[in-house]
Each structure stands twice: as C-alpha cells, then as structure tokens.
Amino acid sequence: MNVTHETVIEHLNALAKPQGSMGRLEELAIILAIAQQNLHPQTKPRRITLFAGDHGVVESGVSAWPSAITTVMMETIIAQKATSTALAAAQSADLRLIDVGSITLPKLGQSTEVFRDARVAAGTADLALGPAMTVEQFQDAWAVGEAEAIRAHEEGFVLLLAGEMGIGNTTPAACLTMLLAGADANSSTGRGAGADDVILQSKRNIVTQASQRAALLLDKDPVAAVAAVAGFEIAAMAGYYAQGAKQGATLLLDGYVTTAAALIAERLAPGTAQRMIAAHLSAEPGHRVALDHLGLEPLLEWDMRLGEGTGALTALPMLDSAAALLNDVAKLADILP
C-alpha cells in the first residue's frame, strides 16, 4: 500500500474523535506514517548512536573550548552521567558511543562500552589550511556509519537517532551548509559552544574560505568536496542515515551538526530525506537553512544547542504519541451502535 498524505488523513478522520481535534499531533502522525509507509507506524525499539571525533580546525581558534573536552565528554557518556545518557534512559532508547576520530582515547567504563574499532584517525586536519580529510578517510568514516545502521537493523531497531560529540564541529557543519544548502557565511555560522565576537568573526572567515575552496570541486567530485570540509563523526552520521533509509528505518534528526550530515546523505544518496523527521530547530542560525533545503519542519523550537542527540531524545514522546494515535484509537464506525 502506498501511504500518502490523503490515506493517512482518511485514517485519522475515521477515528473516534472529532476530525482534526488533535491538531499538530495529527500532522506529526501524517509525517511518521508517510516516512514509514505504514498506517500503523512503530517508534520502538529505538537506538541512538553517538559518533565522536575531533577537529583540527580548533587549532585555528574557532571554538571557546579545546579538543580535550571531546574526550572528557566521551568519558562522561561512558560513565552514564551525560545529558544524552540521562535522556536516553528516560526515553528507553538504546545508546551506543562510537569513537570515529578522537585525538585522545577515553578510558573505558565498566557499564558502557565505547567502540574504538571504528576509529579512522586521531582527528581531522585543519580545514582552515586545507582539506579536512582525504577521500579515503571520508569513505572509511561513511562505512563506520553504514555498519552501525546495519547492526541496528539486524538487532531489530526501527527508529534510528544519531548524535555527535566533537568540539569545533559547528565549523564543518557551517561549511557543509554553505556548500550543500547555498547558505552564506553569516546565516550558516553561529557561536557553537559559546564563541565570543572575536572567535565568531574568525570562524566566519574560515568557513567562507574553506567552503569556497570546496565548492570548486563540488560538481566534478562531490565526495572530495564534502571530505574537504566535513568531520569524521559527521561523515559517519551521513553513512548511518543513508544506510538506515535504505533499510527502511525512520531517522530522527537532532540539531545543526546532524542536519549537516543529513545534507551529505541526501546529496550522495538521494531520497534519504524521505525517511527523516526533524526533532527540533537549533539555536544555531544555519540550522533553519539546512532543514529548509531538506524540506523538513522541526517539531520543537526550544533553542537547544547541546548536540549529543539530546534534542531528538527530547522529541521522542511526541513521536510515541503520534504512533499511539494511529495504532491504538478505535475507529468511530466500530464503536457506534
């Protein structure tokens, strides 16, 4: 059955409630049913995969924080004391942490494992000075994401979330938004994790120059263009999204950096966006441009900007409610005498 906007509306209108009485929840139910091509969509079991990586561009002064914080936060996730782990537990979401390219390997905890065998390199090169990674490194990182999506599918997860941890990664996200969504430097570049005015201006200059260099490659070699300004964790998320969509999973996007990965996935695997739902609109200015390019409307606008998949985890109860509406409400014709 081809599930269209009209078929979902017909199903909703047949339920034991006044037509349209659940407002925007019905809009979400339509989006969810179309994404899954199923009038009885499922949101459980679900997995969030956190991809971590460091960025050489931090050395050029684009962040208020050093790259060492990436490892500190990975260790906090391993200890199950991070915002992402707290929200994943609250929403019954399985969580995996994948080290795609950290400079310093974190210590292993006893209760949560960090998967290091996926590590491509010890952080990307400085994109302010040249390509962030080689084409081969990009392909290796993409394959990490593909493998995680395949694993999730084999283990029965139907709803996939991705999150990221990587100090400095709003800079490659801004570059990718310029490169793939046609944004300018001002609209694509925000303060990330607290950049002041001086850092912000430097960041905009770097984003502009790196994106312009990458744009020269885009038509002839889009993979090389993307590799020039991406991050290992971003490339892995792109592969995760593309493979997840190919397998029929529903993809719940988090914030700006994950949406930059979604731009890559849609560019290199067209049609991936049809499986995506945008959880929220980040405080980063380029996020709206990226979502508009993908044709996605965010569920929440709460000015969140942490990353780690936390916005997507926060939106999960809304998806559960939309699924319950479609699955568990009686049809009016079945209850009338």
Side-chain angles (χ1 to χ4, degrees), residues 57 75 103 119 146 156 175 194 201 213 241 255 325 335:
V57 72
E75 291 171 347
I103 293 172
R119 193 165 177 262
E146 282 186 324
C175 290
Q201 187 55 54
R213 289 198 307 267
Y241 289 144
L325 182 64
I335 63 172

Side-chain angles (χ1 to χ4, degrees), residues 25 113 195 206:
L25 186 64
E113 187 175 358
I206 289 169

Side-chain angles (χ1 to χ4, degrees), residues 8 12 24-34 41 322 325-326:
V8 188
L12 288 167
R24 292 190 64 183
L25 186 64
E26 296 194 29
E27 295 177 15
L28 177 54
I30 294 167
I31 293 169
L32 183 61
I34 292 174
L325 182 64
L326 288 167

Side-chain angles (χ1 to χ4, degrees), residues 62-65 170 190-197 199-200 203 284 305:
V62 298
S63 174
W65 300 92
T170 58
R191 296 184 183 274
D196 61 21
D197 288 345
I199 292 175
L200 179 60
K203 184 176 177 181
E284 284 291 299
R305 55 183 177 84

Side-chain angles (χ1 to χ4, degrees), residues 62 74 76 82 102 107 177 196 202 212 268 272 280 294 301:
V62 298
M74 289 174 70
T76 306
S102 67
K107 294 174 288 187
T177 303
D196 61 21
S202 174
Q212 288 174 346
L268 300 183
T272 300
H280 76 110
L294 293 167
E301 296 187 29

Side-chain angles (χ1 to χ4, degrees), residues 218-297:
L218 187 59
D219 291 337
K220 183 179 180 180
D221 192 343
V223 174
V226 168
V229 293
F232 290 139
E233 82 280 30
I234 297 174
M237 287 190 294
Y240 183 75
Y241 289 144
Q243 182 63 33
K246 183 179 178 181
Q247 295 166 175
T250 301
L251 311 171
L252 184 61
L253 300 188
D254 187 42
Y256 190 31
V257 181
T258 67
T259 306
L263 289 173
I264 299 174
E266 180 60 23
R267 176 68 185 233
L268 300 183
T272 300
Q274 295 175 13
R275 290 282 178 176
M276 294 176 180
I277 297 173
H280 76 110
L281 180 66
S282 168
E284 284 291 299
H287 195 197
R288 171 64 77 176
V289 179
L291 290 176
D292 286 347
H293 185 80
L294 293 167
L296 302 175
E297 187 66 28

